[in-house]
Amino acid sequence: MTVRGDHKEPARCRPDLVIGRDELYADARGQLADGGSVLLHGPAGIGKSTVLRALAAENAGGARTVLRCSATESESHLPFLALADLFGLVLDRVSAGLPAAQRTALESALTGRGESSLQRDGLALRLAVLSTLRALAAEGPVLVVADDLQWLDSASAELLGFAARRLGDTPVQMLCAVRTEGQEYDRHLRACPPDTHAVRLGPFSRAQVSALLDHRGYTGLSRSTVRDIHRTSAGNPLFALELGRALAESPTRPRPGEPLPVPTSLRALVLSRLGMLSDEARRTLLVASAGARPTLALLHAAGREQAEAETAQAAALGLVTTDPEDPALRFAHPLISAALYAEAPAHERRAVHTALSTAASDPIERARHLALATTGTDPDVAARLAGAAALARDRGAPSVAASLGLLAARHTPGDSTPGPDERRLQAAEDAIIAGEADLARDIAREVLTRATVPAERVRAWMVVIEAAGQALGEVDAVFPQVLADAGDDPRLLALVHYQLAWRELVVHGDFDKARQEAAHAADLAARGEDRRTELMALAFQSSTETLMGHPNAAATVKRALREPQDPYVACHHNGAGMARFRWLLMSDQLPQARTTITGLLREARRRGMVESEVHFLRFLADTELRTGHCGRALDLARESLRLARDSGIGEGASAMLASLAEASGGDVDRALALAREAADHAEVDGDQMYLSRALAALGYAQLVAGDAAGTVRSLRRVRELERGMGITDPARGRWHGDLAEALVRVGEPAEAQDLINRTRAHALRLDRPGVLAVLDRAEALVRAARGEHQAAEALLSSAQDRLGKLGYGLEEARSAFVLARLRARRPGAVAYEEAARLFRRCRAVPWLRQVDAAVAAGPVRPETVPPAAPDALDGLASMERQVASLVMEGATNREIAGRLFISVKTVEATLTRVYRKLGIRSRVDIVRLAAGRRTQ
């Protein structure tokens, strides 16, 4: 069918509704914008049609004619049907211009009248299709949109391919989609122009599945459920949506350890093949679907004596895959396993689990099967499950431990010791460690509806508070209740005051009160002989003191590291090891800091501590960034952000660090977007601490992007936030040099110098040599702006040398770049080689682009001493007088920017203020002022 170029697609096809395909969409969009064609390919349900509709809607406006067809399997045997869809409504427009033989052949094929065929009218029909496309293109660009190319009837496919290969520069583009299971899309390219770009749509990540479900309104699903949907769907968006819909419509959710319910719509996709299995082979596959890692040996142990023959039958039908080098039996898609299990009656499932409870070799797996085979409470089963949960915890699998703990609680009689709620709380604490905060919160809330024992209630409240993450403002009303539940028990009060310390820091931004609450919590925990809480409180106190620049920071770090240590605290992201890392990093001990954080990350991964892993990845990225390993930092920061988005933990903090890494070694536009995302997260959470960090990242990204005014706005706000929080250690965010540099660029050298002086006093008091070197670089910019170039060069050389010796590779390179820009003002100077070499060593791509731009701009004209300003300039500010004086000498805006070490935008803004103050309209009027002065 034909669609005019002004056709508007339904809102559901707008590109902004294409979820999880940003890079792929941009790739295809670029190809189409360049006049090329695109073939989208991937498995069923992967989202090809959605992307195709969005691209078609976006590109239809630039086409005079849009031709569309969408084939179906049931119609694929009908010859010329797709051709009729494409040309049926435009034949009248072009048929008169076709040669008679071509017109007759095409009309016969499209209308079904006569007996046209490729055998009888082959050449005429082929030429008719080519001529039709050329005739339409003569009126304006043509876009051919073809979905489900695999069902295109063979005659239409052959004709399109013939024409596509001969269009040459004719303005005809094709946008097609085809279903493929692997990479076998080559044969479909024969129906497309030679310049067609094939784009494969792959599975969604867990975060993308979550975003898709949220967009479709399935917002009540927990993250653990989303994880199961992602696993069962294998990232296929259609399958994920169907599973999400089934869960949303189901009155009951699956119990722990049970697979997701598979809706009828999805079962139909796989059960047709299952129906071809023998009954015995189907039972064997049911056992395999219930096993965690099924093998032929496991199937034999579970009583399936003919497992080899029955799995071979399933493999022949494409239901399972086998590998001679891998004993595991794998389903071709997780949905097959889920559908098979969901279709089985409850008594068959229990029989399978009974068999596997003795056949499985792993004690955790045996316990899980025993629980799923048992109905009602059973203290022996509950005890075995609790033991299996402890084993999973020790193995570093807290998510498995949480699932087993909930199964244990379900089978625990109400009068047992420990009771069902105690086991539920242990499961909730395991879920927190595993990064499943929503599951933990739901468990704790359920316990609170009936618990009366103070210790259990406080423990449940602690889970609720922990599950809130950085959004502590959302649970602020909890604290009076939990204090009342704690009574005068020092152990319980220690837990509460530890969380109150976090509230003071995150919600109120008061570092001093947070430090006091942490110290009080440590004292209470010591009285209650709760070493774990005491160490956590001391670690928090030491970190707060370090960030504040408090004189007791080093001593408190030593107290937090004193034996005996608790293994959990030692590798927790808020524990003693982290406190030591932060102290090392801020003290410019980069090699020791890297060793410390690498060890913490390794231990967190071993223990399955997801939240700690997110933060340790981020801190390791920060360390690598400081040492000038921008490529490595970018990889780590992106990994941290992916994990944060998948788990819903630390997204703002990870986005902040990813912004810094992108601005230093990746894409500056992405850096700006990530910094704003991080700031939005902090604003929503009411988190003052991370808001300042996010704005500092935004200011840095703006500086790299050349937006000095934006940098000043962002970092001035950071300055105010840190003053309000009581932060005095400039090593906390190290943003002061960036603000000073931006202030110079916007023509505020006096404010920059004042900032440098104040910051330097704190850096000297706290012995922060890295900060001092960066401040010297900033002061060199101030001096250069004032014309003191010799002193500026001396400061820059010293700063570069010191930063290099301290191991700050990127800051060393930045200092070399500033020095090069200053020296480039001398005639004949070749200044940029050293800066370029250092930036290449750091893989600092955005900074290298700045070097390239500086080299391309060429040398700045030799310095001249500006004439004394005439009386008319006396009312101007210092920077305004300098700019006006250089205009009087005939300097261009770029030359003025180079001379005064500011941006061209700042020169333009300054001139606007000069015009306003002097009552003139242009730089010509300033030159006239100079001429008037010389004739006096």
Side-chain angles (χ1 to χ4, degrees):
M1 86 185 192
T2 304
V3 183
R4 300 288 300 190
D6 59 356
H7 172 78
K8 296 187 182 301
E9 285 284 322
R12 62 186 172 83
C13 298
R14 293 200 315 271
D16 61 324
L17 299 186
V18 177
I19 295 172
R21 303 295 188 190
D22 294 345
E23 293 184 14
L24 176 151
Y25 193 88
D27 186 23
R29 173 194 280 165
Q31 172 74 359
L32 291 168
D34 291 339
S37 297
V38 171
L39 174 67
L40 306 169
H41 66 100
I46 205 67
K48 302 179 297 299
S49 296
T50 300
V51 175
L52 180 124
R53 287 195 299 267
L55 286 168
E58 185 172 336
N59 287 274
R64 173 68 176 83
T65 304
V66 180
L67 307 174
R68 299 176 186 270
C69 71
S70 182
T72 63
E73 184 177 10
S74 61
E75 298 169 340
S76 61
H77 66 286
L78 300 174
F80 307 122
L81 186 61
L83 202 67
D85 286 342
L86 290 170
F87 293 151
L89 298 181
V90 296
L91 185 60
D92 292 343
R93 282 167 50 190
V94 299
S95 61
L98 297 178
Q102 293 181 27
R103 182 171 61 252
T104 300
L106 186 58
E107 287 177 348
S108 178
L110 297 186
T111 62
R113 293 191 294 270
E115 297 181 357
S116 179
S117 71
L118 282 177
Q119 288 183 334
R120 192 169 71 85
D121 299 318
L123 181 58
L125 196 51
R126 289 176 175 88
L127 292 174
V129 172
L130 179 60
S131 298
T132 298
L133 288 172
R134 284 174 173 166
L136 292 171
E139 301 173 0
V142 176
L143 177 66
V144 178
V145 181
D147 199 2
D148 283 319
L149 208 61
Q150 75 277 1
W151 303 132
L152 215 65
D153 63 273
S154 59
S156 296
E158 203 282 333
L159 289 168
L160 276 178
F162 175 87
R165 291 189 294 274
R166 290 165 175 79
L167 286 169
D169 295 332
T170 306
V172 176
Q173 294 175 272
M174 293 186 69
L175 174 59
C176 306
V178 63
R179 181 188 301 179
T180 56
E181 292 303 326
Q183 295 290 330
E184 69 282 6
Y185 59 89
D186 290 358
R187 63 188 180 90
H188 298 289
L189 284 172
R190 291 197 292 270
C192 304
D195 66 346
T196 299
H197 178 46
V199 178
R200 178 167 178 77
L201 279 71
F204 274 16
S205 68
R206 191 192 307 179
Q208 289 168 338
V209 165
S210 178
L212 178 65
L213 292 168
D214 286 345
H215 174 69
R216 291 299 180 89
Y218 305 135
T219 55
L221 304 174
S222 68
R223 287 194 177 272
S224 56
T225 300
V226 172
R227 178 198 62 198
D228 291 341
I229 290 175
H230 177 255
R231 183 179 62 245
T232 303
S233 67
N236 184 296
L238 173 64
F239 298 171
L241 283 173
E242 287 297 298
L243 290 167
R245 180 184 59 78
L247 280 167
E249 294 175 355
S250 174
T252 59
R253 298 290 167 85
R255 296 185 297 182
E258 292 183 345
L260 297 176
V262 179
T264 304
S265 58
L266 292 185
R267 292 188 199 184
L269 294 175
V270 295
L271 293 183
S272 57
R273 280 186 287 173
L274 288 172
M276 301 172 68
L277 289 171
S278 66
D279 289 343
E280 290 303 312
R282 187 181 180 116
R283 291 191 184 97
T284 295
L285 285 195
L286 178 60
V287 176
S289 73
R293 191 174 182 271
T295 62
L296 289 174
L298 177 67
L299 296 176
H300 280 298
R304 307 309 302 167
E305 296 178 357
Q306 303 301 316
E308 285 87 351
E310 289 157 358
T311 55
Q313 182 186 355
L317 293 172
L319 296 168
V320 298
T321 60
T322 58
D323 184 343
E325 297 182 0
D326 185 354
L329 185 71
R330 304 184 188 282
F331 284 89
H333 193 284
L335 191 61
I336 298 173
S337 173
L340 182 64
Y341 188 91
E343 190 75 6
H347 71 275
E348 284 190 20
R349 295 188 202 175
R350 285 196 297 272
V352 165
H353 288 298
T354 298
L356 288 171
S357 68
T358 57
S361 59
D362 185 84
I364 293 177
E365 188 67 8
R366 287 199 302 270
R368 186 180 74 86
H369 287 301
L370 180 61
L372 295 174
T374 305
T375 58
T377 60
D378 186 319
D380 293 334
V381 171
R384 283 186 59 180
L385 285 164
L391 182 57
R393 200 175 302 122
D394 291 341
R395 288 181 180 179
S399 180
V400 175
S403 177
L404 291 168
L406 288 175
L407 286 171
R410 195 174 83 201
H411 291 287
T412 301
D415 56 353
S416 295
T417 303
D421 279 345
E422 188 171 347
R423 283 179 167 153
R424 287 188 182 92
L425 288 172
Q426 179 62 65
E429 289 162 357
D430 287 328
I432 285 284
I433 295 171
E436 299 177 11
D438 50 355
L439 174 62
R441 180 176 52 249
D442 291 346
I443 297 169
R445 291 286 188 187
E446 180 192 350
V447 171
L448 285 167
T449 60
R450 55 178 174 269
T452 57
V453 178
E456 286 188 355
R457 291 189 60 80
V458 171
R459 193 174 169 189
W461 284 124
M462 291 300 102
V463 170
V464 171
I465 294 169
E466 286 279 355
Q470 298 298 118
L472 282 175
E474 296 179 2
V475 293
D476 208 37
V478 163
F479 287 99
Q481 180 62 58
V482 70
L483 280 169
D485 285 335
D488 57 1
D489 187 326
R491 290 176 65 91
L492 300 181
L493 285 170
L495 293 169
V496 180
H497 282 279
Y498 173 71
Q499 295 295 345
L500 284 169
W502 277 104
R503 183 184 70 162
E504 292 295 342
L505 181 63
V506 172
V507 179
H508 300 143
D510 192 326
F511 271 66
D512 190 50
K513 284 188 177 179
R515 184 187 69 84
Q516 293 175 32
E517 284 285 4
H520 185 40
D523 291 342
L524 287 166
R527 282 168 43 200
E529 298 181 350
D530 180 356
R531 183 61 173 162
R532 173 173 291 189
T533 303
E534 180 187 7
L535 289 171
M536 290 293 289
L538 285 170
F540 180 91
Q541 180 186 344
S542 64
S543 294
T544 306
E545 290 173 349
T546 300
L547 295 171
M548 292 173 65
H550 196 281
N552 293 343
T556 309
V557 170
K558 289 181 180 178
R559 285 181 62 199
L561 293 169
R562 193 176 299 157
E563 295 295 337
Q565 281 292 311
D566 182 288
Y568 170 81
V569 175
C571 62
H572 192 277
H573 59 280
N574 290 320
M578 186 61 216
R580 181 173 183 271
F581 162 77
R582 185 176 283 112
W583 187 82
L584 289 168
L585 194 67
M586 294 178 67
S587 301
D588 298 319
Q589 300 181 57
L590 296 182
Q592 298 93 321
R594 181 194 281 116
T595 299
T596 299
I597 197 65
T598 301
L600 289 170
L601 175 60
R602 183 169 53 249
E603 184 63 14
R605 282 174 165 165
R606 188 186 72 79
R607 290 173 171 269
M609 300 170 71
V610 174
E611 184 172 7
S612 293
E613 182 181 356
V614 168
H615 292 298
F616 291 156
L617 279 168
R618 175 171 63 89
F619 284 121
L620 181 55
D622 191 13
T623 308
E624 297 291 356
L625 198 58
R626 291 173 193 248
T627 54
H629 300 146
C630 296
R632 170 73 172 148
L634 189 58
D635 290 342
L636 288 165
R638 287 173 175 172
E639 184 181 355
S640 174
L641 185 58
R642 281 194 299 270
L643 184 58
R645 286 177 171 164
D646 280 349
S647 62
I649 294 172
E651 292 182 74
S654 293
M656 176 272 296
L657 202 284
S659 170
L660 291 172
E662 291 283 355
S664 298
D667 181 89
V668 179
D669 289 337
R670 179 164 170 77
L672 291 166
L674 285 167
R676 293 187 176 104
E677 176 189 332
D680 289 343
H681 271 292
E683 294 272 22
V684 169
D685 291 344
D687 185 343
Q688 299 296 296
M689 181 175 62
Y690 269 111
L691 177 59
S692 69
R693 298 299 304 272
L695 290 172
L698 177 59
Y700 174 68
Q702 289 167 325
L703 185 70
V704 178
D707 181 10
T711 298
V712 169
R713 286 193 301 271
S714 298
L715 297 185
R716 277 175 174 165
R717 190 176 176 198
V718 174
R719 179 173 60 188
E720 294 306 311
L721 284 168
E722 291 201 353
R723 282 177 181 172
M725 289 187 285
I727 297 174
T728 60
D729 192 337
R732 187 245 181 181
R734 298 178 187 258
W735 49 265
H736 310 76
D738 291 340
L739 177 54
E741 180 175 341
L743 285 167
V744 172
R745 290 189 187 183
V746 300
E748 299 290 349
E751 183 182 343
Q753 187 64 62
D754 180 66
L755 170 67
I756 291 166
N757 293 342
R758 293 174 182 272
T759 307
R760 182 178 282 130
H762 291 299
L764 286 168
R765 175 177 62 86
L766 297 167
D767 188 23
R768 299 291 188 244
V771 173
L772 290 167
V774 170
L775 291 174
D776 281 353
R777 182 182 70 212
E779 183 164 346
L781 293 170
V782 175
R783 295 196 179 191
R786 292 173 177 166
E788 303 170 17
H789 294 289
Q790 188 173 359
E793 286 193 28
L795 269 178
L796 285 168
S797 296
S798 173
Q800 180 183 340
D801 181 63
R802 284 180 286 150
L803 287 166
K805 289 177 179 176
L806 288 168
Y808 287 100
L810 184 59
E811 296 294 351
E812 177 191 8
R814 286 181 61 181
S815 300
F817 184 36
V818 175
L819 183 59
R821 290 172 62 188
L822 192 60
R823 287 175 173 168
R825 287 155 181 75
R826 294 202 293 266
V830 181
Y832 292 103
E833 287 91 343
E834 174 71 359
R837 182 185 68 82
L838 292 173
F839 280 135
R840 278 195 296 270
R841 185 181 71 182
C842 294
R843 291 177 60 189
V845 177
W847 287 105
L848 274 169
R849 292 195 187 105
Q850 292 198 26
V851 173
D852 292 342
V855 172
V860 180
R861 59 180 286 171
E863 256 177 57
T864 59
V865 178
D871 294 342
L873 304 187
D874 288 347
L876 300 179
S878 172
M879 179 62 68
E880 293 166 351
R881 282 199 303 274
Q882 292 181 71
V883 170
S885 296
L886 289 169
V887 169
M888 290 175 177
E889 287 296 299
T892 65
N893 285 1
R894 180 175 293 278
E895 290 168 343
I896 294 169
R899 165 69 178 82
L900 299 180
F901 227 80
I902 59 179
S903 67
V904 174
K905 287 185 179 179
T906 300
V907 174
E908 294 169 351
T910 303
L911 281 173
T912 300
R913 293 197 300 271
V914 169
Y915 299 156
R916 186 175 63 252
K917 290 183 178 181
L918 298 182
I920 58 179
R921 295 183 178 181
S922 70
R923 59 190 300 125
V924 175
D925 294 329
I926 296 179
V927 175
R928 286 174 180 159
L929 284 174
R933 179 183 181 280
R934 282 192 288 270
T935 59
Q936 290 176 359

